[in-house]
Structures are given as structure tokens and as C-alpha cells.
Amino acid sequence: MTNYVITPPPVASVPVAGGGEFPVRRVYCVGRNYAAHAREMGHDPDREAPFFFCKPADALLTGDADMPYPPGTSDLHHEMELVVALKSGGANIAVEDAMSHVWGYACGLDMTRRDVQGEAKKLGRPWDMGKGFDHSGPIGMMVPASALPDPTKGKIELKVNGQVRQSSDLSMLIWSIAETISYLSGLVTLEAGDVIFTGTPEGVAACVKGDVLEGFVEGVGTVKTKIV
Ligand code: MN
């Protein structure tokens, strides 16, 4: 047994529908993967290479728990996303092999301090404090890959206080799930337990305390949180 000098931190995990926990190693996120969202953020969505950032694994917020409004922002945005969970990995994974590494899916919210992220973009600084803060990744129950046999289509939607704020379809992804896994594996070696937030469609907007966020991806399930 390893002689840790302090108690080791717990392994982050996401509950699986039907029982069990999916243990999380790393959380990757894709930027600008829906053309209409890229446009609303002031970018040209022509197929430039996908880009990635990370959230800490323990930023995931599970069990439909309330999300505390984070410090250091007055512009907390929601980004509704399909999350892919890997059961295996590797480097330089071919697009044709990518889906064989998928264990399952979940609905996730890439919560963003938009003002902090905007300042970082302007100054050429890292995005971490805009994207990777505590509780910044509410995530629903994980479902096995068989729940979404064709992840190239399916409705993705977010309601805030019962009103539809984001509504699109997975067919609108610029980089498919397979292409995203393949591309990312050319930058880092992927491993079992890695999860990937695959990008948000248009309609991102600010949330305030008291808002109830309910996201849905067809075949995958839901994610729910209240901002408190
Ligand atoms: Mn995002």
C-alpha cells in the first residue's frame, strides 16, 4: 500500500442509470462545435480544427444537486452539451475506431463565467478560471453507449425555468463524436475514465440565482440543477 502523507482525495464519479458509478479521470471540453453557437460568439464556424480545454474531474456536479452561484462573476452562462464517456483510450485513434472506445453518454452543462472567459480571451490568458471552477460541470446520469446507437443525430435541448433556451440536434455538430475523439487522441493519450463535453448549440445566456436548468438529449436522458 502506498504511504500517502495525507488522505488521498476521492475519485470523482458519475452515477450510472440502473446502478453503479462511472469513475472519471479527466474532463475534456470542445470549444465551438456547433456553427450557430460559434457565430453567436463572434466567430466564423468554417471547419477550423477543433480546440479543447479541461475542467477538473471534481468540478462535475452529480445527482441533480443545486449549483452554488460561483464567486468572481456576474455573467454565469449555461452551455448544454452531450457528454461522451470512454471505457478505453489510446493515442492517434482512427476515426473508424473511435466509437469502440465509448462506454456511454450523459447530459452535461458546461457552466461558464462568461465575463472571466471574455477577459482571458482579450488578454490572451488561460480559460481555466472561466471554465474550470468548482461545480462548473453539472452532469446527469450516465447511460451505456447502446442507449444512443447513432450519436450523429438526436434532439438536444435546455429549458430554463420551463422555457426553451437552447434547442438543436446532434446532427449540427461540426466535428462528430468520432472525429472529436480521434482528433483529441492526436494531442493527448486518452484513457478509460476520460469524459468529453462535446460543445454547445446556440442560445447560451446568463443565469441568475433561483433559475432551474433542465437539459435533455434524446436517448440519453436529462441533467437538472438549480442555481442557488
Ligand atoms: Mn462548452
Side-chain angles (χ1 to χ4, degrees), residues 29-32 37 53 55 79-81 109-112 114 131 197-200:
C29 304
V30 189
R32 290 174 217 143
H37 172 63
F53 56 91
K55 290 178 186 281
E79 295 191 357
M80 177 61 203
E81 312 201 359
L109 287 160
D110 168 18
M111 299 303 289
T112 302
R114 193 69 75 201
K131 288 289 196 176
F197 281 62
T198 57
T200 194

Side-chain angles (χ1 to χ4, degrees), residues 178-218:
E179 288 170 334
T180 299
I181 293 168
S182 174
Y183 196 92
L184 181 56
S185 75
L187 296 170
V188 288
T189 301
L190 295 172
E191 298 282 356
D194 289 346
V195 303
I196 306 168
F197 281 62
T198 57
T200 194
E202 68 277 20
V204 301
C207 308
V208 295
K209 279 185 192 175
D211 280 350
V212 175
L213 280 55
E214 293 175 277
F216 164 83
V217 175
E218 196 177 342

Side-chain angles (χ1 to χ4, degrees), residues 9 18-19 44 48 68 82 105 112 152 162 170 184 193 200 221:
D44 179 349
E48 56 185 47
L82 172 68
Y105 302 97
T112 302
T152 65
L170 300 177
L184 181 56
T200 194

Side-chain angles (χ1 to χ4, degrees), residues 110-156:
D110 168 18
M111 299 303 289
T112 302
R113 286 166 167 154
R114 193 69 75 201
D115 42 3
V116 175
Q117 183 201 27
E119 189 72 2
K121 283 182 185 174
K122 206 165 63 191
L123 298 173
R125 289 179 180 163
W127 284 15
D128 302 50
M129 292 301 112
K131 288 289 196 176
F133 50 92
D134 297 342
H135 318 298
S136 59
I139 187 167
M141 293 269 230
M142 201 79 84
V143 295
S146 55
L148 191 61
D150 181 6
T152 65
K153 57 178 197 277
K155 190 177 172 64
I156 178 168

